[in-house]
C-alpha cells in the first residue's frame, strides 16, 4: 500500500468582507498547476476576532496568511517580527508562520514593483503618484527602497501626501515632495512613471482619474493599481497618447507569487494566475 498523505499545506486570507476577493481562485489554480497539495482558505474575520484567528492559524500549523482590510495595521501587535518595508509602511498584508514565529511582510508595493520592473527599471526615475491611501503608501516606500530619484505624491488632502513623502525621505535614499490635487492633476515635465493609486476606475470602465491627459508624454509608463477592469479608461487614454500602460492585474498576480514564495519557498506560475483572473473578470486586452 502506498504512503498517501492526506494533509494539505494550509494558507489563506483574513479579511471582512471577503466574498469578492478572487485571490483564492488565483492561488489555488497555481497550486494545482504546480502539483502542490496546498489550500488557500478565504476567511471572513471580523475585527474583534483577529487575535483568535491568528492563534488558530498557529494552532492549526498554517504556513502563512494574507490579511486585508481592516486588519493590515491591527495584525502587527500579534507578530514577532516585521520585514523592513512592512516596518516603514506600518502595515502588513502577508504573514509567514515558521516554528510558531510570525513574521509580517507587505507585498502590496512589492507586487507593484515586480510588475513595473517588467517594463522599466525604476532606479533613478522620476515618479508622479496619484493618491495617498494604503496602496500609495506601500508603493511609494518600495519605490524609495528601489532607488527612484524623486516621487511627487498628489492628493486632495495634502497633509496625507506629505506624510507619505516624508516617509520616503526619512527611510530611503530617494527624494519626495507632496502636492495638493486641485482640479485635473498636471504631470510635470521629465516624469518617467505615472501611477494611479486611487480606487477610481474599480468596477467602472468609464470612470476617469482627474488628470490633465495633455500633460502625459509619449514613452512614459502609466500604471494603474485597479485590477478590474484591468484596462481602465485612464490606461486606454494613456495608450492612445503613446504611453506604455501597466494594469493592476500584474500587481495582484505578483503579490500572490511573492506571498507564496515567502510561505513555501516555491515560485508559482504567474501566467496561470493571470489567466485565472482574466477568466473571472471577463477581461480582454481590447479597448
Amino acid at each position: 500500500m502506498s504512503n498517501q498523505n492526506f494533509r494539505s499545506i494550509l494558507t489563506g486570507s483574513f479579511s471582512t468582507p471577503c466574498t469578492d476577493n478572487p485571490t483564492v481562485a488565483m492561488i489555488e489554480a497555481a497550486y494545482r498547476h504546480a502539483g502542490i497539495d496546498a489550500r488557500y482558505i478565504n476567511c471572513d474575520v471580523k475585527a474583534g476576532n483577529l487575535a483568535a484567528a491568528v492563534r488558530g492559524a498557529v494552532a492549526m500549523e498554517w504556513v502563512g496568511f494574507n490579511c486585508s482590510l481592516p486588519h493590515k495595521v491591527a495584525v502587527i501587535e500579534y507578530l514577532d517580527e516585521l520585514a523592513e518595508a512592512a516596518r516603514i509602511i506600518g502595515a502588513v498584508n502577508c504573514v509567514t508562520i515558521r516554528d510558531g514565529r510570525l513574521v509580517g511582510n507587505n507585498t502590496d508595493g512589492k507586487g507593484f514593483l515586480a510588475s513595473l520592473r517588467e517594463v522599466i527599471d525604476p532606479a533613478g526615475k522620476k515618479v508622479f503618484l496619484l493618491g495617498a491611501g494604503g496602496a500609495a503608501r506601500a508603493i511609494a516606500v518600495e519605490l524609495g527602497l528601489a532607488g527612484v530619484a524623486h516621487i511627487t505624491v498628489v492628493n486632495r488632502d495634502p497633509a496625507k501626501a506629505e506624510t507619505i513623502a516624508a516617509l520616503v525621505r526619512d527611510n530611503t535614499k530617494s527624494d519626495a515632495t507632496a502636492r495638493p490635487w486641485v482640479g485635473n492633476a498636471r504631470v510635470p515635465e521629465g516624469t518617467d512613471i505615472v501611477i494611479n493609486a486611487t480606487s477610481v476606475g474599480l468596477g467602472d470602465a468609464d470612470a476617469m482619474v482627474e488628470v490633465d491627459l495633455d500633460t502625459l508624454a509619449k514613452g512614459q509608463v502609466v500604471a494603474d493599481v485597479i485590477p478590474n477592469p484591468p484596462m481602465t479608461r485612464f490606461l486606454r487614454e494613456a495608450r492612445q497618447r503613446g504611453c506604455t500602460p501597466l494594469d493592476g492585474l500584474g500587481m495582484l498576480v505578483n503579490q500572490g507569487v511573492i506571498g507564496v514564495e515567502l510561505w513555501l519557498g516555491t515560485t508559482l506560475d504567474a501566467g496561470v494566475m493571470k489567466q485565472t483572473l482574466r477568466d473571472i473578470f471577463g477581461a480582454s486586452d481590447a479597448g
Side-chain angles (χ1 to χ4, degrees):
M1 198 175 122
S2 64
N3 286 339
Q4 280 179 280
N5 182 355
F6 296 102
R7 182 193 186 193
S8 301
I9 297 164
L10 297 179
T11 62
S13 175
F14 299 157
S15 66
T16 186
C18 76
T19 51
D20 59 353
N21 181 357
T23 303
V24 51
M26 167 181 97
I27 290 185
E28 290 215 326
Y31 282 158
R32 282 193 300 274
H33 181 264
I36 297 170
D37 183 9
R39 299 301 311 272
Y40 185 96
I41 301 160
N42 189 24
C43 305
D44 198 298
V45 175
K46 307 292 185 283
N49 291 328
L50 179 61
V54 173
R55 282 199 303 272
V58 174
M60 290 184 276
E61 299 187 8
W62 285 33
V63 297
F65 58 88
N66 288 123
C67 41
S68 198
L69 298 173
H71 307 311
K72 289 185 179 187
V73 177
V75 75
I76 292 174
E77 70 172 283
Y78 308 115
L79 307 180
D80 300 299
E81 192 185 322
L82 289 182
E84 180 188 30
R87 179 184 57 73
I88 298 169
I89 296 162
V92 163
N93 74 336
C94 184
V95 176
T96 305
I97 306 173
R98 277 222 183 90
D99 306 319
R101 276 180 66 75
L102 298 140
V103 181
N105 225 304
N106 190 310
T107 61
D108 281 334
K110 285 179 172 52
F112 176 81
L113 203 65
S115 185
L116 182 67
R117 283 197 163 120
E118 290 167 21
V119 293
I120 191 173
D121 175 6
K125 301 295 191 292
K126 289 184 180 163
V127 178
F128 191 70
L129 180 63
L130 298 152
R137 190 181 178 103
I139 286 168
V141 167
E142 294 290 354
L143 286 170
L145 294 172
V148 296
H150 186 273
I151 305 174
T152 304
V153 187
V154 190
N155 197 50
R156 299 273 173 231
D157 177 352
K160 283 187 176 168
E162 178 49 42
T163 300
I164 292 179
L167 209 56
V168 171
R169 290 194 304 266
D170 295 346
N171 294 283
T172 77
K173 295 186 175 74
S174 300
D175 192 21
T177 49
R179 278 187 21 190
W181 191 340
V182 183
N184 283 344
R186 295 176 62 83
V187 180
E189 277 187 42
T191 300
D192 302 295
I193 302 163
V194 180
I195 304 163
N196 171 38
T198 75
S199 58
V200 175
L202 186 59
D204 184 351
D206 297 320
M208 180 61 201
V209 188
E210 291 186 21
V211 173
D212 183 344
L213 293 168
D214 293 331
T215 61
L216 291 177
K218 199 177 158 118
Q220 276 171 343
V221 171
V222 177
D224 208 319
V225 301
I226 303 295
N228 184 23
M231 197 46 71
T232 58
R233 184 168 164 202
F234 181 44
L235 292 184
R236 297 196 305 272
E237 298 280 2
R239 186 165 64 182
Q240 282 176 351
R241 283 160 179 81
C243 302
T244 300
L246 186 67
D247 69 46
L249 261 190
M251 176 179 172
L252 194 56
V253 166
N254 281 304
Q255 276 184 47
V257 171
I258 293 163
V260 172
E261 281 174 349
L262 290 166
W263 299 331
L264 303 182
T266 304
T267 304
L268 296 180
D269 188 317
V272 170
M273 289 194 190
K274 193 169 264 190
Q275 189 53 52
T276 303
L277 290 181
R278 284 193 186 288
D279 293 345
I280 291 168
F281 296 151
S284 73
D285 278 328

